[in-house]
């Protein structure tokens, strides 16, 4: 909300979900956000919104009637996928990027993570080009064979933006998916993740909702080695410590546990090969609720999608699932920092968030049981659900 309060000229938002109105008590933040967007349209502030064409949203229709420009992306036609990007740009100066969408559950029920940059026009310029790419597809049923030069990336893995973040010398660039949406000088998300893992000297901490190295079609499922193989390489060939924090929920694919067992097996009898995996279960409290109680509640879920190492971080929109990267539209942010000991550094903040969750009572090393011991749950207190920006920015906003 602070970002929108700063708006004086323009607000550009990309989101996969647009459901801010609901009678649930936890929906109050979403309702306030919707009211603020309506207010901005009445103040002659340019509001541009991008959504997937499959979104049937009364929120978007109401904002469109008030003057907002709405672009619907037909990802099914472009790449048999869907839009998963989530970022905001305010006055071409400030930006938010992270896992939270414009959905009341993201703001009030889910555990999200993102990052805000204040007064960072250089990085915003690059992210603005991704927004422009999405907007250029309005009314189009297919992607052009060549992209306009005005959509080319400004920074990439080879040419990173040099900047100060919270008085810490840093480098940053924005990545994109699928590869079909990567014009010249735009890093593909997978390549961005590779660069972060390859630069790690000591550890790689990964937090995702789902981990499933599989690419699926309507007729078959095939192994997708891109990220799974990179983890194995870091473990075996470079002795980098890897920690995986995966959400456990009703949609967790049983094959996840097979792939985790396979990852663990490669460290057997190999010196300095360290892999640990935990499952984060926010629904443990509701597991023993009555049917009536469950009908009155909505599932809670850890939807973080980030990676942090001893020298870099990647914050994105995807889980580590094959189809997400190959078919869906999403955006990532890579930050490199040399001095990660300073409490104000983004790397230190993200590492602290990961370790807080890793050592919480909701994270378990073994495969969670679907029949929990209900008597042990009364002692647990659910972690507070805060807006996505709170977890990422901590006490200090990012600035340049």
């Amino acid at each position: 909300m602070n970002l929108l309060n700063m708006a004086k000229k323009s607000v550009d938002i990309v989101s996969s979900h647009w459901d801010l109105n609901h009678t649930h008590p936890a929906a109050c933040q979403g309702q306030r956000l919707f009211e603020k967007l309506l207010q901005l349209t009445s103040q002659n502030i340019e509001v541009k919104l991008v959504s997937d064409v499959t979104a049937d949203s009364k929120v978007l229709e109401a904002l469109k009637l008030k003057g907002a420009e709405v672009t619907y992306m037909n990802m099914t036609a472009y790449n048999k996928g869907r839009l998963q990007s989530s970022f905001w740009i305010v006055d071409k100066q400030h930006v938010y990027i992270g896992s939270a969408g414009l959905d009341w559950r993201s703001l009030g029920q889910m555990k999200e993570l993102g990052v805000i940059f204040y007064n960072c026009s250089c990085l915003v310029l690059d992210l603005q080009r991704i927004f422009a790419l999405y907007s250029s597809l309005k009314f189009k049923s297919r992607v052009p064979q060549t992209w306009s030069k005005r959509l080319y990336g400004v920074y990439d893995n080879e040419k990173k933006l040099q900047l100060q973040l919270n008085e810490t010398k840093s480098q940053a660039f924005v990545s994109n998916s699928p590869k079909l949406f990567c014009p010249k000088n735009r890093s593909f998300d997978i390549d961005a993740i590779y660069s972060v893992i390859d630069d790690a000297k000591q550890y790689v901490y990964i937090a995702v909702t789902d981990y499933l190295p599989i690419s699926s079609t309507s007729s078959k499922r095939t192994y997708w080695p891109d990220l799974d193989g990179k983890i194995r390489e870091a473990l075996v060939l470079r002795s980098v410590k890897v920690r995986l924090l995966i959400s456990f929920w009703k949609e967790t694919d049983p094959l996840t546990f097979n792939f985790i067992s396979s990852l663990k097996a490669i460290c057997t009898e190999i010196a300095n090969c360290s892999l640990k995996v935990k499952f984060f279960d926010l629904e443990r409290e509701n597991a023993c609720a009555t049917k009536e109680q469950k009908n009155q509640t909505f599932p809670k879920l850890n939807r973080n999608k980030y990676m942090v190492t001893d020298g870099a971080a990647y914050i994105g929109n995807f889980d580590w699932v094959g189809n997400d990267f190959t078919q869906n539209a999403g955006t990532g942010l890579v930050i490199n920092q040399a001095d990660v000991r300073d409490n104000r550094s983004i790397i230190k903040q993200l590492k602290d968030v990961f370790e807080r969750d890793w050592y919480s009572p909701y994270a378990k090393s073994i495969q969670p049981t679907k029949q929990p011991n209900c008597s042990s749950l009364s002692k647990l207190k659910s972690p507070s659900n805060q807006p996505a920006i709170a977890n990422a920015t901590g006490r200090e906003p990012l600035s340049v």
Side-chain angles (χ1 to χ4, degrees):
M1 187 66 77
N2 186 44
L3 265 185
L4 295 185
N5 288 334
M6 298 171 68
K8 292 181 174 57
K9 296 180 180 179
S10 64
V11 173
D12 301 333
I13 300 178
V14 179
S15 177
S16 56
H17 296 87
W18 294 86
D19 184 10
L20 297 173
N21 269 335
H22 200 278
T23 57
H24 193 278
C28 59
Q29 293 184 71
Q31 290 167 351
R32 286 199 297 268
L33 185 57
F34 179 41
E35 291 167 3
K36 182 62 180 179
L37 287 170
L38 287 172
Q39 180 187 341
L40 291 176
T41 59
S42 66
Q43 295 175 342
N44 292 323
I45 292 175
E46 186 180 56
V47 177
K48 295 182 179 181
L49 313 172
V50 174
S51 170
D52 195 274
V53 72
T54 58
D56 182 16
S57 171
K58 293 181 179 179
V59 168
L60 284 176
E61 290 303 315
L63 289 169
K64 190 175 181 179
L65 287 173
K66 292 294 184 178
E69 181 182 322
V70 180
T71 297
Y72 293 97
M73 289 179 59
N74 190 354
M75 284 301 300
T76 303
Y78 305 148
N79 206 43
K80 298 181 180 179
R82 56 193 172 91
L83 177 70
Q84 284 187 240
S85 298
S86 178
F87 61 84
W88 306 12
I89 301 172
V90 173
D91 290 345
K92 295 180 172 55
Q93 291 288 325
H94 323 296
V95 63
Y96 159 81
I97 183 170
S99 61
L102 268 288
D103 182 274
W104 70 268
R105 298 172 188 83
S106 281
L107 302 172
Q109 289 283 114
M110 305 300 183
K111 185 172 170 298
E112 310 276 6
L113 185 139
V115 63
I116 285 182
F117 288 77
Y118 295 111
N119 303 311
C120 191
S121 57
C122 293
L123 188 64
V124 169
L125 172 63
D126 207 16
L127 196 59
Q128 191 81 50
R129 294 198 176 190
I130 294 179
F131 188 90
L133 184 149
Y134 293 163
S135 299
S136 73
L137 295 172
K138 190 173 185 178
F139 305 124
K140 294 182 179 178
S141 59
R142 61 181 181 179
V143 173
Q145 291 184 345
T146 58
W147 294 104
S148 166
K149 290 183 178 180
R150 65 183 179 85
L151 303 178
Y152 287 4
V154 182
Y155 306 103
D156 60 15
N157 187 39
E158 301 298 324
K159 180 187 174 184
K160 300 175 184 177
L161 172 64
Q162 310 290 323
L163 71 169
Q164 291 282 329
L165 297 180
N166 293 349
E167 300 180 7
T168 303
K169 187 176 180 180
S170 310
Q171 298 176 319
F173 68 94
V174 176
S175 56
N176 207 24
S177 286
K179 208 159 191 176
L180 186 66
F181 282 12
C182 291
K184 185 177 179 180
N185 301 330
R186 174 69 65 210
S187 293
F188 180 38
D189 269 314
I190 294 296
D191 295 329
I193 291 173
Y194 280 5
S195 73
V196 172
I197 296 178
D198 287 342
D199 287 344
K201 302 294 189 298
Q202 301 173 27
Y203 63 86
V204 173
Y205 294 166
I206 302 164
V208 289
T209 306
D210 293 310
Y211 182 86
L212 189 65
I214 281 180
S215 181
S216 303
T217 65
S218 57
S219 59
K220 65 177 181 179
R221 306 175 88 184
T222 57
Y223 175 55
W224 185 71
D226 294 39
L227 297 180
D228 192 66
K230 180 59 68 171
I231 291 174
R232 294 169 189 268
E233 177 185 303
L235 284 167
V236 177
L237 302 183
R238 297 194 291 118
S239 299
V240 175
K241 179 174 70 175
V242 176
R243 300 290 179 264
L244 265 171
L245 186 60
I246 306 167
S247 294
F248 179 73
W249 61 309
K250 64 179 182 179
E251 300 296 332
T252 298
D253 193 303
L255 279 177
T256 296
F257 304 107
N258 296 78
F259 283 110
I260 293 305
S261 297
S262 174
L263 273 174
K264 288 182 176 180
I266 67 170
C267 279
T268 304
E269 298 182 4
I270 297 180
N272 301 318
C273 185
S274 176
L275 170 72
K276 291 185 179 179
V277 181
K278 286 189 176 183
F279 294 92
F280 199 90
D281 185 6
L282 280 177
E283 276 293 282
R284 293 181 65 208
E285 293 171 308
N286 291 337
C288 303
T290 64
K291 183 177 180 180
E292 290 74 17
Q293 289 173 326
K294 288 182 178 180
N295 288 337
Q296 296 173 6
T297 62
F298 287 84
K300 295 179 181 179
L301 181 65
N302 182 16
R303 294 185 68 248
N304 294 176
K305 307 175 195 303
Y306 70 94
M307 169 176 58
V308 61
T309 74
D310 46 282
Y314 169 84
I315 299 168
N317 302 142
F318 291 147
D319 290 312
W320 286 26
V321 178
N323 287 58
D324 280 14
F325 290 93
T326 58
Q327 292 181 263
N328 299 338
T331 304
L333 171 70
V334 172
I335 301 171
N336 296 85
Q337 292 182 315
D339 185 6
V340 298
R341 296 166 297 177
D342 191 321
N343 287 331
R344 293 171 296 182
S345 82
I346 301 304
I347 307 301
K348 178 67 165 59
Q349 290 184 50
L350 278 175
K351 183 172 182 281
D352 289 346
V353 169
F354 183 92
E355 291 181 338
R356 178 202 65 189
D357 292 347
W358 183 264
Y359 292 109
S360 80
Y362 293 90
K364 299 297 180 182
S365 297
I366 58 174
Q367 179 174 340
T369 173
K370 294 189 178 181
Q371 300 294 330
N373 179 2
C374 297
S375 62
S376 67
L377 300 179
S378 59
K379 299 178 182 179
L380 288 178
K381 181 180 179 182
S382 179
S384 61
N385 291 298
Q386 300 180 15
I389 57 174
N391 280 340
T393 60
R395 296 177 296 277
E396 297 243 333
L398 307 178
S399 60
V400 293

